[in-house]
Amino acid sequence: AQSVTQPDIHITVSEGASLELRCNYSYGATPYLFWYVQSPGQGLQLLLKYFSGDTLVQGIKGFEAEFKRSQSSFNLRKPSVHWSDAAEYFCAVGGDGNKLVFGAGTILRVKS
Amino acid sequence: GAGVSQTPSNKVTEKGKYVELRCDPISGHTALYWYRQSLGQGPEFLIYFQGTGAADDSGLPNDRFFAVRPEGSVSTLKIQRTERGDSAVYLCASSLIRNTGELFFGEGSRLTVL
């Protein structure tokens, strides 16, 4: 069965510092992987996705993620965090892009 | 507004009552999804429509839950004989092209069953 684990429930970083959010998945075949962000009062928004090819994918808002098959991971990174990045981040896996399985989310707090 | 619209944004009901939640997808999006998000959890898949038909309803928890999309646009999620455990945020999403994973989500309908 597909599953996604986001080990960190909360993360706090200083504005301007780098960020890495962890995501591990379990999937029987080549997965489709996604990161979504949920800000208060807004719907989930797609940050980036991996289907195949280059394992380092670039997304919106300066985010990137790296697919590592050997570690079953798809960690999200950003070199310099802005206060507006404070939100909840969800990693998701899907075989056909439709029936996504989401992790429990990581709440990012940014301190000034 | 060009986004996915969900109504009501908040619904409080009593145990045993019937509830309908509406989703108006982005115009032209043929695929529509319902997810449920419980407190402290990620969204959980309920059902997926391609056009008017339910292509995958394997996530519906039991037969008290039903969803329709009669004209291939607006969808309604129907919950009969609500239980306290049904309390959650119900999310609707739509997408233009199947199999891309790029879902456009609404803000959700928060259901509270007392």
Side-chain angles (χ1 to χ4, degrees):
Chain A
Q2 303 169 43
S3 67
V4 175
T5 301
Q6 293 181 246
D8 305 304
I9 299 174
H10 296 98
I11 281 188
T12 300
V13 299
S14 297
E15 192 168 15
S18 63
L19 170 71
E20 183 168 31
L21 301 182
R22 295 183 291 164
C23 171
N24 292 97
Y25 68 89
S26 173
Y27 191 74
T30 301
Y32 293 173
L33 294 159
F34 311 86
W35 276 98
Y36 279 81
V37 61
Q38 188 173 40
S39 299
Q42 298 184 26
L44 284 153
Q45 180 183 21
L46 180 67
L47 282 177
L48 48 76
K49 62 186 179 185
Y50 170 79
F51 278 11
S52 64
D54 193 346
T55 56
L56 184 64
V57 293
Q58 303 296 321
I60 62 171
K61 305 184 181 186
F63 286 92
E64 67 178 26
E66 186 171 11
F67 169 57
K68 293 185 178 180
R69 184 187 300 274
S70 61
Q71 298 177 21
S72 297
S73 70
F74 189 58
N75 294 349
L76 182 71
R77 301 194 294 248
K78 186 169 185 178
S80 178
V81 168
H82 188 262
W83 63 266
S84 61
D85 293 324
E88 188 162 16
Y89 292 80
F90 293 92
C91 181
V93 64
D96 62 4
N98 292 321
K99 191 173 169 179
L100 300 184
V101 174
F102 286 83
T106 298
I107 297 172
L108 172 65
R109 297 182 178 130
V110 181
K111 59 182 182 180
S112 55
Chain B
V4 176
S5 176
Q6 292 189 246
T7 55
S9 55
N10 277 287
K11 175 70 176 179
V12 180
T13 191
E14 294 179 343
K15 180 175 178 294
K17 299 291 188 181
Y18 170 80
V19 166
E20 288 190 354
L21 306 175
R22 174 189 168 105
C23 173
D24 203 337
I26 293 172
S27 178
H29 281 195
T30 57
L32 185 145
Y33 314 79
W34 284 98
Y35 282 78
R36 177 170 70 175
Q37 187 174 16
S38 301
L39 193 62
Q41 301 296 318
E44 176 188 6
F45 172 82
L46 295 177
I47 187 170
Y48 155 61
F49 287 89
Q50 183 63 36
T52 60
D56 185 345
D57 65 358
S58 61
L60 294 177
N62 51 60
D63 61 6
R64 295 187 298 106
F65 287 76
F66 189 70
V68 295
R69 195 186 185 200
E71 298 178 356
S73 179
V74 171
S75 176
T76 304
L77 179 66
K78 308 181 180 193
I79 310 174
Q80 298 177 321
R81 304 182 304 279
T82 52
E83 299 177 358
R84 292 193 179 88
D86 299 334
S87 296
V89 177
Y90 289 81
L91 300 172
C92 178
S94 68
S95 69
L96 179 60
I97 301 172
R98 191 175 180 272
N99 294 344
T100 67
E102 185 160 7
L103 307 185
F104 293 83
F105 282 85
E107 292 183 30
S109 292
R110 181 178 299 279
L111 175 65
T112 303
V113 181
L114 302 177

